[in-house]
Amino acid sequence: MYHKEKSIQIKNSASALYNNLSVLRIAPRRLTYFTVVHANVVNMVSASWDGLNYSHRQLQSKEPNVATSTSLIMQAAFCVLPSRDLLVVTSQKGIQMYESDGSIMVYWHALDTPETPTAQAVFARGISAVWENYICVGVSSGSILVFDVPSKGSNITLSEVLEEHKESITDMASECSGSQECIADLVSADDGGNLCVWKSGEEFQLLNKISGFDMSCSSVKLWKGTVVAGYGTGQIRLYEAVTGILHAEVNAHARWIYSLDIAPFSGLLLSAAEDSLVRVWHLTMTPETNSVEVAHLHNECVTDTQICGAKFCDGDGYAFAVTGYDLSEIIRYTQS
Amino acid sequence: MSSRTLPLLFINLGGEMLYILDQRLRAQNIPADKAKKDSAIAGWIDDDRRRVMNDIITTMFNKKFLEELFKPQDLYSKKALRTVFDRLAHASIMRLNQASMDKLYDLMTMAFKYQVLLCPRPKDLLLVSFNHMDAIKDFVKDTPGILSQVDETYQQLIEMYTPLSSGDFQLIRQTLLIFFQDMHIRVSIFLKDKVQNSNGRFVLPTSGPVPHGTQVPGLIRMFSCTGEELTRLQFSNGGNYTAALREGSFEIFGDRVTKLGTNMYSVSRPVETHMSGTSKNSAQHTKVNTAPNPLAKEELNLLAKLMGGLEVQKPGNADSGFRVNLFATDEEEEEALISRPDELSYGVIKIQATKDQQANAELAKIMGEFTESGDQSPSASSKGDDLLAMMDGL
């Protein structure tokens, strides 16, 4: 179904972090941007569609106070809003927002880091653009910071702090089907496997809470009102967002899942885990019976690699890209 | 990242170090009666070996040192951690040359990297640590004084780590993996056992038992809105997995089930490495740590506590009788030192003047006790330089 293409070499190897690959497709310029985190650096590659031009850029985590200490980056993700695209980078010290090509930093939000380290780690993780003008970022305390983003410029403000989760946020996702009918806009996941479903607005509204079973949910997606969640046990579960009804349960991987992605136009689902496997599935929604079907389509094994990032490169799922711990390349696959 | 990583890193690396030293000491062993007949023969007798192991373990589990270690803190830089282990390796009459110390550290780190990577669940990292602790306990089982220190450390580990969630352990594991990033030194015993490829990367099998709490991949279950199971589908998982084994014990005593962290060396399976410095990954790796890096205050504190716990050792025999060689021959050891690729050198730590006068003064005072003539160390910045050179002067 898919075959391997030429890999893109990156300047550093990928670190073992959840969802460690972000992809932004820029159709008008026939380019795709990729970001991969290595310790305190974000490696950005801009790849032209004809495969001839690659340009690289590195972004460092911002450390406003101490010159010598490093701040490890937890995640870097592109946020696509109707008016603009931003690159959000979260670290132990705070949240940086850049123009999508990484050229200018437009916003910095510092986390409250204690003077001496505490037993509970402090960091930001979990990034999602929501609806027209919000970017939501999770924090290790369980809080979710909601930023209001104007259509231009750097006048980004912290609009709200959502305090619902009690454990560290792992991942967040917004409704990606493009459908106006969906009630739920955002789902957030934490280290206890708990999921919160939200409706965005001037004040975000909690629509539903789905309990985890003390097993971390490391990656989550929201599509056509269905939450797709990947867990540390290697299971994938599909829930109806607003009601919490369990649609399907898949014993998908033999190790901790690190990344999920959905191609919104085709309903293809991508899952990747520490077990070296990337799997492609197909989701079918049947609104009449309120059921969801999951079919397994394809496996790719990245030999001797713990995968940490996997994303589709386009909305149909025609191609996808993969990163792995200690690997200095972005591996690409295209449909045959 | 996680502020609870250092104790696990230290204890596991320390455990590996003890396995390697024990094996080398046994390999260079000579029977006691032969040693009595000719005291000029270089070699180790059983008593000496036990003394060395006891001395190192006593220092490792020094109360003040462990107190400092278990405080929430970020991981040390590679250089600082290497210095701590240099000190530890020299906590007895045993001496190691630079090349042997480098090799020892390579083996320790690659072994633990392997264990961290292969851990089926992040929580199993604790079982790996208990395997090391169990072995250490066995090394000192005849010495009640040290045994009680080891037992206390078990308690501290249990207290600190058993309440942690799976997500907390994964964060610890991710922190360790960043520390070990881009290390691909080839280890002979791993290559022979086919757990490491010739490019230095570890083999990750897609077969064997799944972790405790995980199901064998292959089943899709779909439900109706009332919760009844509607369909079951099987898919091919691309591997050869079997059901999970029983869970290991997280108590002071018990079957840990996993073999990760147990002693893989024996006299018949000697310890060797190949230096593969031409891998471009190792060159890339050094870029991340190029900040001049004066030791951070916390690192100095730990070193001070560690050295405070050290007794001043007499110089000992200059002959090779008290020297341990990690290589098969002295010539090989010399050759290894000359040919070690630059990007794999750990660098000598130079203690630079820090802003913290107090920590600096304390360190200077401790080091003052090491000078041969008994001079009080005049100023931190001059005597404070080059810790290793001081120790070599003993």
Side-chain angles (χ1 to χ4, degrees):
Chain A
M1 187 181 174
Y2 287 89
H3 64 269
K4 198 164 162 205
E5 291 271 21
K6 184 160 161 257
S7 294
I8 303 176
Q9 299 302 317
I10 43 177
K11 298 289 184 197
N12 303 112
S13 56
S15 288
L17 298 163
Y18 304 141
N19 307 299
N20 192 5
L21 174 64
S22 189
V23 179
L24 182 68
R25 195 163 183 268
I26 306 185
R29 293 168 59 202
R30 304 183 63 78
L31 284 179
T32 304
Y33 291 154
F34 298 88
T35 59
V36 182
V37 177
H38 170 96
N40 59 338
V41 164
V42 179
N43 288 297
M44 267 191 84
V45 184
S46 158
S48 63
W49 289 4
D50 58 8
L52 297 175
N53 291 307
Y54 296 100
S55 69
H56 299 259
R57 176 174 248 147
Q58 287 189 316
L59 303 173
Q60 292 264 339
S61 68
K62 183 168 156 65
E63 186 45 270
N65 301 318
V66 186
T68 50
S69 76
T70 54
S71 168
L72 293 173
I73 297 175
M74 304 300 289
Q75 193 179 5
F78 288 108
C79 288
V80 176
L81 293 167
S83 52
R84 67 199 294 194
D85 300 332
L86 290 176
L87 172 63
V88 179
V89 177
T90 57
S91 68
Q92 291 177 281
K93 296 287 187 235
I95 300 156
Q96 296 160 263
M97 298 193 192
Y98 292 85
E99 294 295 354
S100 60
D101 62 357
S103 56
I104 314 165
M105 186 165 80
V106 296
Y107 184 67
W108 160 248
H109 174 96
L111 291 175
D112 288 323
T113 21
E115 272 290 309
T116 45
T118 50
Q120 164 76 347
V122 176
F123 55 83
R125 179 176 61 187
I127 303 167
S128 185
V130 186
W131 202 223
E132 297 260 307
N133 56 319
Y134 296 110
I135 287 180
C136 295
V137 179
V139 182
S140 46
S141 58
S143 308
I144 296 172
L145 307 175
V146 181
F147 295 95
D148 193 314
V149 182
S151 53
K152 296 206 272 275
S154 53
N155 190 21
I156 296 168
T157 54
L158 178 63
S159 145
E160 210 185 338
V161 179
L162 308 173
E163 311 270 18
E164 197 59 49
H165 290 274
K166 302 284 172 282
E167 297 178 68
S168 299
I169 305 291
T170 45
D171 193 23
M172 298 207 290
S174 58
E175 173 59 63
C176 60
S177 64
S179 160
Q180 305 276 350
E181 293 168 9
C182 297
I183 313 167
D185 291 323
L186 175 72
V187 62
S188 53
D190 71 23
D191 252 346
N194 303 302
L195 303 167
C196 286
V197 180
W198 309 85
K199 172 148 194 60
S200 66
E202 262 186 45
E203 272 182 31
F204 273 53
Q205 199 194 331
L206 178 70
L207 297 176
N208 192 17
K209 221 171 155 169
I210 302 170
S211 292
F213 302 103
D214 272 334
M215 174 44 68
S216 183
C217 169
S218 38
S219 196
V220 75
K221 300 295 308 173
L222 181 59
W223 183 64
K224 293 192 174 172
T226 303
V227 172
V228 184
Y231 297 86
T233 48
Q235 252 192 5
I236 297 175
R237 277 184 237 135
L238 282 80
Y239 292 98
E240 184 175 73
V242 173
T243 59
I245 293 173
L246 178 66
H247 282 308
E249 189 177 80
V250 186
N251 295 338
H253 287 275
R255 292 282 189 283
W256 203 285
I257 291 177
Y258 261 62
S259 189
L260 291 180
D261 197 24
I262 291 185
F265 307 147
S266 58
L268 289 177
L269 169 69
L270 193 65
S271 68
E274 284 177 356
D275 62 1
S276 307
L277 284 152
V278 184
R279 304 197 197 272
V280 184
W281 319 78
H282 187 242
L283 305 180
T284 323
M285 309 284 171
T286 317
E288 295 80 36
T289 53
N290 192 18
S291 66
V292 177
E293 272 166 39
V294 183
H296 173 256
L297 296 182
H298 185 74
N299 294 328
E300 281 292 340
C301 181
V302 186
T303 317
D304 299 335
T305 305
Q306 296 199 341
I307 302 173
C308 50
K311 284 272 184 334
F312 284 116
C313 297
D314 56 274
D316 289 296
Y318 178 72
F320 65 87
V322 170
T323 56
Y325 170 65
D326 256 357
L327 224 55
S328 303
E329 56 187 294
I330 300 171
I331 309 177
R332 289 187 296 177
Y333 300 87
T334 316
Q335 272 186 27
S336 313
Chain B
M1 303 274 283
S2 179
S3 55
R4 290 184 269 232
T5 317
L6 192 57
L8 293 184
L9 182 60
F10 180 75
I11 288 171
N12 286 292
L13 284 180
E16 287 301 316
M17 182 174 85
L18 290 166
Y19 290 159
I20 297 164
L21 290 177
D22 183 63
Q23 192 271 317
R24 293 313 292 164
L25 290 168
R26 284 178 198 273
Q28 291 180 213
N29 203 14
I30 47 161
D33 56 342
K34 204 168 172 195
K36 273 198 205 121
K37 272 191 213 160
D38 187 349
S39 57
I41 289 183
W44 293 88
I45 57 171
D46 235 41
D47 275 349
D48 286 334
R49 178 177 51 80
R50 248 178 257 128
R51 234 178 92 199
V52 168
M53 297 297 281
N54 283 350
D55 284 347
I56 296 179
I57 294 172
T58 309
T59 313
M60 235 178 108
F61 291 93
N62 171 275
K63 204 179 164 82
K64 282 216 168 67
F65 176 63
L66 285 179
E67 246 172 53
E68 189 64 42
L69 191 75
F70 273 83
K71 284 189 190 149
Q73 59 196 303
D74 280 334
L75 269 193
Y76 286 7
S77 65
K78 286 198 171 56
K79 283 183 185 170
L81 198 69
R82 166 62 196 263
T83 305
V84 171
F85 280 102
D86 266 9
R87 292 303 118 244
L88 199 56
H90 288 91
S92 68
I93 51 171
M94 181 188 70
R95 286 291 162 265
L96 290 167
N97 284 347
Q98 171 83 342
S100 279
M101 189 65 220
D102 284 344
K103 179 168 164 176
L104 173 64
Y105 198 70
D106 286 343
L107 289 170
M108 284 158 56
T109 42
M110 286 310 285
F112 189 42
K113 179 175 182 175
Y114 170 70
Q115 290 151 15
V116 173
L117 261 176
L118 271 286
C119 254
R121 305 174 297 179
K123 192 171 181 183
D124 293 341
L125 214 50
L126 193 52
L127 293 174
V128 173
S129 313
F130 282 138
N131 270 330
H132 282 117
M133 290 291 292
D134 292 343
I136 292 171
K137 195 163 166 172
D138 191 61
F139 283 133
V140 295
K141 63 180 185 282
D142 298 322
T143 327
I146 318 172
L147 200 54
S148 62
Q149 284 175 261
V150 176
D151 278 336
E152 236 191 85
T153 311
Y154 268 106
Q155 288 295 358
Q156 283 182 286
L157 283 174
I158 291 175
E159 220 176 88
M160 185 173 202
Y161 292 101
T162 42
L164 297 187
S165 69
S166 62
D168 290 330
F169 274 109
Q170 182 64 284
L171 191 67
I172 290 174
R173 184 171 172 276
Q174 290 175 340
T175 310
L176 287 169
L177 288 177
I178 289 183
F179 185 82
F180 292 126
Q181 192 125 10
D182 301 321
M183 293 188 64
H184 301 295
I185 298 167
R186 286 152 23 192
V187 176
S188 213
I189 208 173
F190 288 142
L191 293 170
K192 281 201 194 100
D193 288 349
K194 304 246 188 295
V195 300
Q196 191 179 28
N197 295 318
S198 54
N199 61 6
R201 288 165 189 278
F202 291 116
V203 173
L204 301 181
T206 52
S207 58
V210 290
H212 195 262
T214 294
Q215 304 295 321
V216 173
L219 185 62
I220 305 173
R221 298 167 74 198
M222 288 171 278
F223 305 94
S224 72
C225 348
T226 53
E228 292 168 54
E229 188 183 290
L230 292 173
T231 336
R232 284 198 159 212
L233 290 176
Q234 288 281 2
F235 67 90
S236 145
N237 62 30
N240 190 10
Y241 301 107
T242 52
L245 301 172
R246 69 192 186 287
E247 195 175 25
S249 161
F250 289 95
E251 321 251 321
I252 298 190
F253 300 103
D255 180 6
R256 313 297 177 192
V257 179
T258 179
K259 293 282 160 275
L260 295 171
T262 54
N263 195 345
M264 58 179 168
Y265 305 105
S266 66
V267 180
S268 57
R269 302 186 85 210
V271 152
E272 287 166 58
T273 51
H274 297 295
M275 292 289 110
S276 60
T278 48
S279 142
K280 71 171 178 183
N281 283 329
S282 47
Q284 284 171 354
H285 156 64
T286 51
K287 286 215 171 53
V288 182
N289 286 330
T290 47
N293 194 26
L295 290 186
K297 178 180 166 199
E298 300 74 28
E299 294 166 348
L300 265 180
N301 281 346
L302 191 71
L303 266 175
K305 295 265 180 340
L306 179 59
M307 297 210 299
L310 280 175
E311 289 172 15
V312 180
Q313 295 293 345
K314 297 211 188 68
N317 290 350
D319 69 33
S320 57
F322 292 101
R323 195 168 63 75
V324 168
N325 189 345
L326 271 272
F327 297 83
T329 62
D330 288 347
E331 292 69 38
E332 248 190 70
E333 189 185 43
E334 246 180 72
E335 177 56 41
L337 183 64
I338 299 166
S339 63
R340 188 178 180 88
D342 278 336
E343 60 262 30
L344 290 180
S345 72
Y346 291 101
V348 173
I349 294 225
K350 297 207 178 303
I351 311 286
Q352 298 173 12
T354 64
K355 296 193 179 73
D356 191 315
Q357 282 305 313
Q358 203 205 5
N360 216 10
E362 194 182 315
L363 205 59
K365 176 171 166 291
I366 293 172
M367 290 197 298
E369 293 163 23
F370 282 74
T371 50
E372 283 183 299
S373 57
D375 282 343
Q376 282 313 304
S377 131
S379 80
S381 47
S382 61
K383 274 299 190 190
D385 283 39
D386 211 340
L387 217 53
L388 286 170
M390 293 229 68
M391 292 299 279
D392 287 343
L394 283 177

